[in-house]
């Protein structure tokens, strides 16, 4: 790959505060299907609006639970890839020089945390914690596949457990929103990695950063609505490009 990463790498090396937004493309090399692209794109086999909304869960809790349980198992079997590890290393490099690093993720697979990233803001929740859809109280679940779907809630007769993800039409967690907004406003460099940049408000944080003078970098396998707008658009696999950016930015 003959990507010229010198200028973006220098911007990272000189940055006091870096914010990274990741999407499904960062977990693709761990074997977790993305949503909108590639052979195994989740949405190709499923219509997002039939599965990732509270209305869908209310209408067909069995199918929605089966889809999320299938994805939950894929997440459990997955291991962090070079992209996750490079981001965790970059966070340590920033910390070592007294800088700030914030990782905003749209992913629900917890692979960033398993790669030992520390300051992770889960914009769309996570797939490992499930809660009572009626009361909101947490529910214990087995690591392996659910023995029955939908999963009866222990907190309310007739209610079921749902994944602690943010569905379309649901508000993002207030704490995540404010942490993301504050970090985006204060950063020198904002990196958008492995996301098609079409889901809001997650896709809007790069505009907050750019409006405050941050340099912007995109790493993505395919062009997105951001590609013409960022300072540097690096087309390629995150697991291949990120290590090149990080190794010399220390
Ligand atoms: C809200 C849940 C309000 C968990 C997800 C019109 C305009 C603007 C906004 C809207 C609109 N109409 C509706 C909306 C709002 C809506 C929205 O943005 N819709 C979009 C589709 C238009 N947003 C919402 O509903 C949000 N909530 O607005 O609430 C509100 C306020 C107050 C009170 C009540 C309500 C909620 C959004 C969250 C939805 N939940 N997931 C789950 O099931 O996982 S979104 C889902 O899409 C995932 O979280 C995913 O992360 C996210 C974004 O997808 P990507 O991560 O980008 O993945 P994708 O496959 O698309 O792209 C992968 C990219 O990687 C590709 O470009 C590919 O080229 C690249 N790639 C692949 N391999 C690699 C790679 N890159 C590098 N290396 C590789 N190896």
């Amino acid at each position: 790959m003959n990507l010229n990463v010198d200028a973006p790498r220098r911007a990272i090396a000189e940055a006091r505060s870096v914010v990274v937004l990741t999407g499904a493309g960062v977990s693709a090399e761990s074997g977790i299907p993305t949503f909108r692209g590639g052979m195994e794109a989740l949405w190709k086999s499923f219509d997002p609006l039939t599965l990732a909304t509270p209305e869908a869960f209310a209408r067909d809790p069995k199918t929605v639970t089966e889809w999320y349980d299938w994805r939950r198992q894929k997440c459990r079997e997955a291991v962090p890839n070079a992209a996750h590890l490079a981001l965790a290393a970059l966070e340590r490099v920033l910390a070592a020089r007294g800088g700030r690093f914030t990782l905003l993720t749209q992913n629900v697979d917890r692979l960033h945390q398993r790669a030992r990233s520390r300051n992770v803001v889960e914009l769309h929740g996570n797939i490992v914690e499930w809660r009572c859809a009626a009361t909101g109280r947490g529910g214990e679940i087995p690591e392996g596949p659910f023995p029955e779907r939908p999963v009866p809630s222990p907190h309310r007769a007739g209610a079921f457990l749902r994944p602690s993800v943010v569905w379309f039409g649901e508000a993002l967690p207030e704490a995540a929103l404010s942490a993301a907004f504050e970090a985006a406003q204060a950063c020198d460099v904002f990196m958008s990695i492995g996301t098609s940049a079409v889901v809001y408000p997650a896709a809007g944080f790069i505009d907050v950063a750019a409006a405050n003078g941050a340099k912007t970098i995109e790493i993505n396998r395919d062009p997105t609505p951001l590609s013409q707008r960022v300072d540097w658009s690096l087309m390629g696999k995150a697991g291949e490009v990120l290590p090149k950016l990080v190794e010399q930015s220390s």
Side-chain angles (χ1 to χ4, degrees), residues 24 29 35-36 68 71 124 166 169-170 195-196 200 220 222 238:
E29 291 159 78
F35 288 82
R36 295 170 183 84
Y68 275 96
R71 287 178 58 203
H124 295 164
V166 178
E170 291 186 323
T195 180
S196 55
Y200 283 80
N220 209 60
D222 307 301

Side-chain angles (χ1 to χ4, degrees), residues 10-191:
R10 204 167 27 257
I12 295 169
E14 292 161 5
R16 281 171 296 101
S17 173
V18 172
V19 172
V20 173
L21 171 72
T22 61
V26 163
S27 295
E29 291 159 78
S30 296
I32 298 180
T34 61
F35 288 82
R36 295 170 183 84
M39 296 311 288
E40 249 210 313
L42 290 173
W43 300 130
K44 276 201 181 127
S45 13
F46 299 104
D47 169 358
L49 291 191
T50 62
L51 293 169
T53 67
E55 295 77 15
F57 185 73
R59 184 177 58 246
D60 187 353
K62 184 175 186 309
T63 302
V64 174
T65 302
E66 284 170 349
W67 185 55
Y68 275 96
D69 199 21
W70 171 71
R71 287 178 58 203
R72 185 170 73 96
Q73 298 311 318
K74 284 194 90 69
C75 294
R76 206 160 65 83
E77 292 149 14
V79 294
N81 66 60
H84 297 106
L85 298 174
L87 289 172
L90 180 57
E91 180 176 34
R92 290 190 289 273
V93 164
L94 261 295
R97 63 178 195 234
R100 247 187 98 181
F101 182 89
T102 307
L103 177 50
L104 312 177
T105 188
Q106 300 171 94
N107 299 338
V108 297
D109 55 37
R110 288 259 155 118
L111 287 181
H112 285 303
Q113 292 90 333
R114 287 171 53 194
R116 293 181 39 239
S117 284
R118 298 165 64 87
N119 188 16
V120 180
V121 178
E122 292 183 327
L123 298 174
H124 295 164
N126 72 79
I127 203 167
V128 297
E129 292 162 342
W130 288 55
R131 64 176 192 258
C132 175
T135 65
R137 293 172 62 189
E140 286 300 310
I141 56 166
E143 280 214 345
F146 293 133
E148 66 173 308
R149 297 109 171 237
V151 184
S153 164
H155 304 298
R156 172 76 60 81
F160 302 114
L161 296 185
R162 58 160 287 178
S164 292
V165 300
V166 178
W167 277 326
F168 287 105
E170 291 186 323
L172 276 60
E174 196 42 55
L177 271 177
S178 47
F181 195 80
E182 188 281 322
Q185 273 190 312
C187 69
D188 311 303
V189 169
F190 189 105
M191 302 171 73

